[in-house]
Amino acid sequence: MISYFKEGKDKLSICEDSLTASVFDVLKYFPTHYFWTILKDSLLLDTLPKFSGEIQEIVFWPKWSAENTYNSKFVEPDVFIRFSEFDLIVEAKRYDANQQYNGQLENEVIGYFNEYEEDAKDLYLLQVGGLQENCTKDSIYIQSKKIAQSKTNWSRLLLIITNLHNKIINQQLPDQSPLIFLFNDLINAFAMHGFHQKKWLVDCDTYKINSNAIQQFNF
């Protein structure tokens, strides 16, 4: 589907949900250790466990009971991932800054407990994009429970994906082609949403210029 839009067969309706689905729909196909490495290495604020265990379930936009929240109908986080060791709520925003707000996160945690409190699993929050300038708050408290928050943005996530992509290409691992295809789809998904790979000046090749030749130009 990414190639369908990338090659201009139709126009993608760019929005927060299309970005979230384009990225996490591809990430879910990676072996879990790659998936977890990418997330962990991208974090600007990291409270996630070192190891995740295997992914048991991943759901986009689940609808949970709005009981005890400010929502009238339901609570809808962007992505809900159940690992063998814990659960993870992902709240994503369209751009990198100034869109997240704690009231929404608190409602999502309450909605989670409405559905899964009897499971007695640890719960973590991950904010992707929309970060406020002061993004040091690392937890929220709901029903006397401390829920740890981790934070990243799309630009940082793309940087980690690009670096790992290049590393795998340079290592020339056996049977790496499927991984490379996944990385290419991820990078294309970011590009379609306006996030592009950047090469900093410090990383560019340097060339020496013959200053004597320049002085001979007749201006």
Side-chain angles (χ1 to χ4, degrees):
M1 185 61 74
I2 290 174
S3 297
Y4 177 72
F5 292 112
K6 175 178 176 288
E7 299 303 327
K9 293 298 184 181
D10 202 349
K11 186 176 180 180
L12 175 65
S13 179
I14 301 295
C15 62
E16 172 187 304
D17 289 346
S18 66
L19 174 58
T20 303
S22 297
V23 171
F24 281 89
D25 252 342
V26 177
L27 279 174
K28 73 184 182 185
Y29 293 119
F30 280 85
T32 303
H33 68 279
Y34 278 105
F35 179 101
W36 198 241
T37 295
I38 289 169
L39 282 188
K40 286 281 287 180
D41 288 354
S42 76
L43 295 179
L44 302 169
L45 177 62
D46 183 5
T47 65
L48 292 179
K50 187 174 182 180
F51 301 106
S52 66
E54 290 299 313
I55 295 176
Q56 298 178 322
E57 183 181 15
I58 179 166
V59 183
F60 290 85
W61 308 291
K63 290 178 172 58
W64 295 336
S65 168
E67 183 180 359
N68 299 320
T69 74
Y70 295 110
N71 293 22
S72 59
K73 295 182 179 180
F74 51 80
V75 175
E76 186 182 74
D78 290 300
V79 189
F80 176 51
I81 308 175
R82 307 208 82 182
F83 294 92
S84 56
E85 302 299 320
F86 57 87
D87 290 339
L88 177 67
I89 292 173
V90 180
E91 180 55 39
K93 297 300 180 186
R94 172 66 181 92
Y95 301 103
D96 274 345
N98 299 324
Q99 291 180 291
Q100 297 277 359
Y101 60 98
N102 282 332
Q104 182 181 23
L105 297 170
E106 291 168 0
N107 281 346
E108 290 175 1
V109 172
I110 294 170
Y112 168 85
F113 286 129
N114 289 340
E115 305 290 334
Y116 298 104
E117 186 169 20
E118 293 184 359
D119 290 3
K121 291 183 74 173
D122 290 332
L123 174 66
Y124 293 86
L125 283 171
L126 172 60
Q127 297 179 45
V128 181
L131 300 183
Q132 303 297 329
E133 277 190 35
N134 181 8
C135 67
T136 58
K137 186 175 181 181
D138 62 0
S139 60
I140 63 174
Y141 292 85
I142 299 293
Q143 300 175 6
S144 301
K145 298 180 177 69
K146 180 180 178 181
I147 311 301
Q149 298 184 83
S150 294
K151 306 181 185 187
T152 188
N153 60 39
W154 297 110
S155 296
R156 174 68 181 173
L157 191 57
L158 175 58
L159 175 64
I160 297 304
I161 288 167
T162 302
N163 289 346
L164 186 55
H165 174 234
N166 293 335
K167 181 178 179 180
I168 290 174
I169 289 176
N170 292 334
Q171 287 177 336
Q172 296 184 339
L173 300 175
D175 302 320
Q176 70 176 12
S177 291
L179 276 178
I180 299 303
F181 291 146
L182 288 174
F183 277 111
N184 289 340
D185 278 352
L186 269 175
I187 292 168
N188 285 329
F190 276 99
M192 288 189 297
H193 289 84
F195 294 94
H196 300 278
Q197 304 174 74
K198 299 181 179 69
K199 190 168 186 178
W200 301 102
L201 289 177
V202 70
D203 297 323
C204 293
D205 295 331
T206 56
Y207 297 92
K208 292 184 177 181
I209 299 175
N210 187 332
S211 59
N212 291 330
I214 292 177
Q215 293 171 4
Q216 293 175 10
F217 279 114
N218 185 1
F219 294 101

